[in-house]
Amino acid sequence: TLEAALKSVGQALPQNFIESNSVVANIALLNNSDMIGTASHRATLMLANMGLLHILPVELPGFGSVSMYWRKDGLYPQSLAQGLDCIRQVAKDYAA
């Protein structure tokens, strides 16, 4: 989303960018450097309310993706099955 927003105004990502999905690493980088970052609105509000970062008043168009990962071994709780069923139903309703 950030790359697309920058491209729409004729800019590009800097050559020295970091892409990370680690919340702890991202907070450390943001608080100990001159870096800026992007994250979902809900996650950013939570971290800002905890005093871990500040939100810049910049809105980016578009939507990001959401990924889910789980173990393929014997640990497959009923809650995971129900959660996946809910996500599938929402996706099906959204596509209709």
Side-chain angles (χ1 to χ4, degrees):
T1 301
L2 177 60
E3 189 171 6
L6 289 171
K7 187 175 182 179
S8 73
V9 294
Q11 298 293 317
L13 285 173
Q15 289 185 356
N16 58 345
F17 72 93
I18 296 174
E19 194 169 336
S20 166
N21 65 355
S22 168
V23 175
V24 173
N26 293 341
I27 291 170
L29 288 167
L30 293 170
N31 284 313
N32 296 289
S33 72
D34 62 352
M35 293 182 175
I36 62 170
T38 60
S40 73
H41 185 68
R42 183 179 294 171
T44 304
L45 284 176
M46 179 190 68
L47 295 171
N49 288 336
M50 294 171 68
L52 296 172
L53 52 79
H54 297 281
I55 298 174
L56 297 175
V58 176
E59 290 189 32
L60 300 174
F63 297 94
S65 63
V66 175
S67 300
M68 294 181 65
Y69 303 93
W70 57 88
R71 296 165 43 156
K72 288 199 123 209
D73 61 11
L75 183 64
Y76 193 85
Q78 182 64 26
S79 59
L80 177 60
Q82 289 175 341
L84 289 172
D85 288 343
C86 289
I87 291 169
R88 289 182 183 113
Q89 185 61 50
V90 168
K92 181 179 171 185
D93 292 346
Y94 181 78

